Amino acid sequence: MTVRLLNDFLLLLSSGSLIAEKGEEFFSLFSKNVRQELRAILPEVPKIGDSIFKSSYLIGVCFIAWYRVFVKLGLTSDEANQWIWRVLENALKKIPSFLVPLAKKIYIGGMLRKAVSHTEKSKAGTLPEYDWTIAYTPVDSNCFRLDVHECGIQKLCSKFHTEEMLPSLCRTDYMVAHYLRAGFERTQTLGDGNCVCNNTFRFHGECQWMPEKGFVDRK
């Protein structure tokens, strides 16, 4: 799926809530500005090829455009980040229960299939500049660690001057794991100024998504 198609899909999913709270005029203006913003930034977005993080990269590009337009239209940084959470959560809720195992297999299984080769490329320094550099460590048949030392989303946010949205975007990993019924833990992120994102994934597990509880011990 291209970034523009993904953007239109997210706009469709979020149209009801945005219109209900902001009005049809705001949604129309927002949609127009987001499409214009994407047209402006896409030529400047570096390619990362068939990376295991390609889907995260594409949605990151979309949300950078959304964030910039929300702020342009008068929302605070916190309000913009909250809307991005709502948009992604709304999309995840639309996954039918019977398709959750397949979605999880694509998301986590996709990382696992290429984790070893991606780690080797990370060590060799042969990845595209904006790709993630990682270190994969298997734990058991259900669990693995994926330490991230360079993050493509962090690089994009720096390039497009939206670093203030980074910690919020990092937290969406908990949301995704929650709705895919997977386990996920992390105490450090590059977006919070740490030197690594120390991700632990469990294919079968649970992950709480309760942002009101805060993200002190989980980042």
Side-chain angles (χ1 to χ4, degrees):
M1 182 180 288
T2 68
V3 174
R4 288 191 177 92
L5 283 175
L6 178 59
N7 177 69
D8 287 345
F9 176 67
L10 291 171
L11 282 172
L12 178 64
L13 288 180
S14 61
S15 59
S17 55
L18 274 169
I19 290 172
E21 293 194 29
K22 296 290 185 180
E24 291 187 9
E25 184 177 349
F26 179 92
F27 178 73
S28 177
L29 185 61
F30 176 78
S31 302
K32 177 181 177 181
N33 275 265
V34 163
R35 292 187 176 106
Q36 290 175 343
E37 186 72 23
L38 277 178
R39 283 196 295 271
I41 70 175
L42 276 175
E44 300 180 43
V45 174
K47 306 294 184 184
I48 63 169
D50 190 28
S51 168
I52 62 176
F53 300 100
K54 185 176 181 180
S55 59
S56 297
Y57 194 70
L58 294 178
I59 200 167
V61 173
C62 282
F63 284 152
I64 284 171
W66 281 54
Y67 180 88
R68 289 174 63 154
V69 173
F70 274 134
V71 172
K72 176 183 175 182
L73 295 180
L75 275 67
T76 66
S77 178
D78 285 345
E79 289 170 335
N81 285 325
Q82 289 290 327
W83 269 108
I84 287 170
W85 274 2
R86 290 178 63 178
V87 169
L88 181 57
E89 185 171 22
N90 192 35
L92 291 167
K93 285 180 176 179
K94 292 290 192 295
I95 302 175
S97 295
F98 72 93
L99 286 180
V100 168
L102 176 61
K104 180 163 56 175
K105 184 177 181 180
I106 293 170
Y107 175 63
I108 299 180
M111 285 193 288
L112 276 173
R113 281 192 297 274
K114 297 182 178 180
V116 173
S117 62
H118 200 98
T119 296
E120 291 172 351
K121 291 175 184 177
S122 298
K123 292 178 180 177
T126 57
L127 291 167
E129 181 185 359
Y130 273 61
D131 205 342
W132 281 244
T133 63
I134 66 167
Y136 162 72
T137 306
V139 177
D140 56 39
S141 60
N142 185 51
C143 178
F144 65 95
R145 284 190 56 185
L146 205 67
D147 291 335
V148 174
H149 298 286
E150 292 184 23
C151 169
I153 298 297
Q154 184 184 39
K155 294 175 183 180
L156 280 175
C157 285
S158 177
K159 181 179 181 66
F160 294 111
H161 310 293
T162 56
E163 293 95 332
E164 59 272 23
M165 71 184 295
L166 262 175
S168 177
L169 279 182
C170 294
R171 308 304 183 250
T172 61
D173 288 333
Y174 289 93
M175 182 196 298
V176 173
H178 173 75
Y179 283 103
L180 294 187
R181 302 170 198 162
F184 181 76
E185 298 170 9
R186 183 174 59 208
T187 60
Q188 301 179 69
T189 73
L190 296 168
D192 288 281
N194 302 117
C195 62
V196 66
C197 298
N198 58 344
N199 308 293
T200 297
F201 293 88
R202 289 180 175 81
F203 196 85
H204 302 290
E206 295 181 356
C207 181
Q208 192 177 54
W209 172 246
M210 294 185 68
E212 63 272 17
K213 292 180 68 173
F215 294 95
V216 176
D217 298 321
R218 52 189 192 127
K219 295 183 178 179

